[in-house]
Amino acid sequence: MISEWFLNLSSTVWVWFAELFPTWQVPAFLSGIDETVNSFMSNAAGIGAWIDWTFWLVCVGVVISVWVVGLTVKIALRVAAYLPFIGGAG
Amino acid sequence: MLSSLLLPGRSSSPRVTPAFGGGRHRRRLGWRPSAARFSAFLRRSVRLSAAGLVAVVVALSLGLGFAAPAQAVQASITPYLPPGSGGALNILPSVVIPASRVAASSPEALALVMSRFLKSPEVLNAYRAMQAGTATTAQTALVVVEKAAYSVPATVPKVLTKVPPGAGLGVAVGGFQLGTMLGTGTSRLLGFKDEQVCSEQNGVLTAFASVLNGVNCGGWDRALEAARNADQANSVTGANICSPGGVCFALLGRAATSASEHMQCFARKVGTDNGFLVMSFNGGPLVSQGVVYTGGGALGSCLNAGFSSANAATGGFFNTSVVTRYGVQVGNNLVAETPAISARANPKRTNKAIIKYSDGTTTTSPSSDQYTENDPLFKMSPLPPVLPGKIPTEVKIVESTPGLPDSDLMVQPTTPEYQKYRVDYPQCQDGACIVDLVKMGLGSCLNAGTACADWFTDPNKATNYSCTFGGFPVALSECTSYAPKFKEGNIEQGTQLADPQTGTNVGVKTTPGIATDLGAPILDPEKPRECWPSGWGVLNPFAWVYKPVVCASQAMFVPRQSVVSAKLQQAKGAFSTKMPGQLIATVTGWTFISPSSGCAGLTLPLGFLPGGKNHQIMQACPGDPFQTMAFWTRLFGSATIAILTAKALTRYIARIFNYDGVGGA
């Protein structure tokens, strides 16, 4: 009984909150975005004989990963520079 | 004083001590007795009492729920039903309820034991009659057998080894009494199927033996006159003798008139033949002793002849302590003769038990205490413990008699079912495994409340349910005892177990209490709750506190599933036409197709032109003009990206150390 009362109260508040929003229709481009993406990916795959996408993706992935690692190390060094007896004057 | 309490301002004496209220309060407020204050006091007292009562009830519930020993409030004792429980009784030896568990809750355990044998309603009735103190001897014997089978200490009635009829003519001579203690459930445990063990207990011979060993004793006649030390008499060959003309004499029995004397009784049909008993005294020649018995009747009996008042050479009774041979003469022909037995009466004996395993090894028990034939019970040697991991194939009880070679009292092969049980369920040999009903997609029904309530009548139960024992699948029929177990109310009021063969409810409850563990199933809020104890719970004071509190708490805090579903649906629908709901619906409706790398080229969409259509360009499949170009392009592009990657890597790695590296700044 008590749980159901709270459940009913929560539901009522939630419906009241939802009614504060206006009614909204999804734009056509948004509803069809999956078709656009699928078409793009299909074309990209179609020129796989010209471009080794797998190799490209590995290279790009490695570069990004090393960049992230380098950035992390530099931030760590910069932070460590503020620590006494390690490198900073703080 | 009363008027001072009820009538304000009429205090007759300043020394009146109020029956309620504190002195400090009285001084601060200038207290005076009044009806209003008295009423307020009453209200306060009632509130405090009610609150206190609630607190006590809750405290008792919580306290008992957590502190009470499990067996005191346990909903049910899970039946330990091995595979074969719905089958023949001779499979049952594989069941052992640990003695400690049985001892902790003997009545319930025994009820369960009884429920195991519900395919035999007379056993259940016998158990109930025994509980009520109205059991007949036969019923008692049945119950004792069941108890013995489950390690409940019990004295089993005497067991009689029988001499099959036909071993001699006339009356089967009395066999030998084997009174024993089967407190360890030896026979049932080891799967005895002895065709020579039947009960002597007041005519329940067949029932006892069939329950104990699955043996039908119907073909084994009980001796009309069994005498003590009859086993020694049985060793006499030719006791029943006939003349070539068909005139027979039967040895009806022997009796010991003292520790050293045997008295034996012969009889023959009364007719025209003149039968004479011839005897040899102290090794001398056979001499005639006259007509054996000339009493009336078709066949004389020892009792008719006054068996207990016998004396040497009169009336057909002889002191065999000096007789070395005896025989029967018809006319001038000695039709039969036999040596007199030499063993003394009532010898002191011992026995021991030997378990033989499949690998040929044995374990032997220590010899029992001495006993004699005249003792009402044998001093039975306890069986040695069955070695773990081994498979008993035979159990033998060997008796030792001074002056005689050892003889086998019983040689029992264990049943194939028992041996298979030892092999298939090594983890269950202490009786700790249970038969479990498993619902597909749900798991064990034992902890699923009423989710399996209608499993037994489910037309697709063969595919929706399975039965396991010790984690191994067994036939679904093994769970037949659970037919009514999960129905509404049975869980709360008592676990109902059914006839293991038919599934019909025979009204056996195994629970004296109610579930209190935190994992106990919650009562279905969609249906009326049973908030008051019933059945065995009526006798349980704890149930009158715990059950209503639990019931009321569940009524307050456990919502109905229908209400929960309705409210959740309402909440979901609230945003269905709003931006969040529309976005969620759109995003979840997207479908992305994983492309496969290929050589089809690019699709040039020219369909928007009048008469136009899509075209494929840069096709480089085998045979296409661009195939070679595509190969070299792919190779050059990969090399380029590899070089750029290497340059980028060196740069990024060098920058970590503030050096621009090969790639430069």
Side-chain angles (χ1 to χ4, degrees), chain A residues 1-4 8 11 14 18 21 24 26 30 33-34 38 43 45-46 48-50 52 55 59 66 70 74, chain B residues 555-557 560 567 570-571 577-578 582 586 590-593 596 598 601 603 618 630 634 638 641 645 649 655-656:
Chain A
M1 291 179 286
I2 295 177
S3 298
E4 289 181 3
N8 186 57
S11 175
W14 181 256
F21 290 81
W24 187 74
V26 180
L30 199 58
I33 199 169
D34 56 334
N38 286 336
N43 281 325
W50 300 80
D52 190 346
F55 184 72
C59 290
V66 170
K74 294 194 74 169
Chain B
M556 285 189 290
F557 298 109
R560 289 168 291 178
K567 294 304 174 185
Q570 185 181 13
T577 58
K578 314 298 180 182
Q582 290 287 305
T586 300
W590 285 344
T591 303
F592 295 102
I593 301 172
S596 57
T603 301
M618 297 178 67
R634 179 184 172 106
S638 298
I641 194 71
T645 299
L649 290 180
R655 281 180 179 176
I656 296 174

Side-chain angles (χ1 to χ4, degrees), chain A residues 42-90:
Chain A
S42 177
N43 281 325
I47 58 173
W50 300 80
I51 301 172
D52 190 346
W53 291 115
T54 304
F55 184 72
W56 278 54
L57 288 176
V58 169
C59 290
V60 172
V62 168
V63 169
I64 293 175
S65 300
V66 170
W67 180 80
V68 170
V69 170
L71 181 64
T72 304
V73 171
K74 294 194 74 169
I75 291 175
L77 291 176
R78 187 64 60 86
V79 171
Y82 289 97
L83 300 177
F85 310 112
I86 295 179

Side-chain angles (χ1 to χ4, degrees), chain B residues 36-57:
Chain B
R37 286 195 176 95
F38 181 65
S39 177
F41 170 76
L42 283 180
R43 287 196 298 271
R44 189 166 61 248
S45 299
V46 169
R47 284 198 298 268
L48 286 174
S49 299
L53 181 61
V54 170
V56 167
V57 168

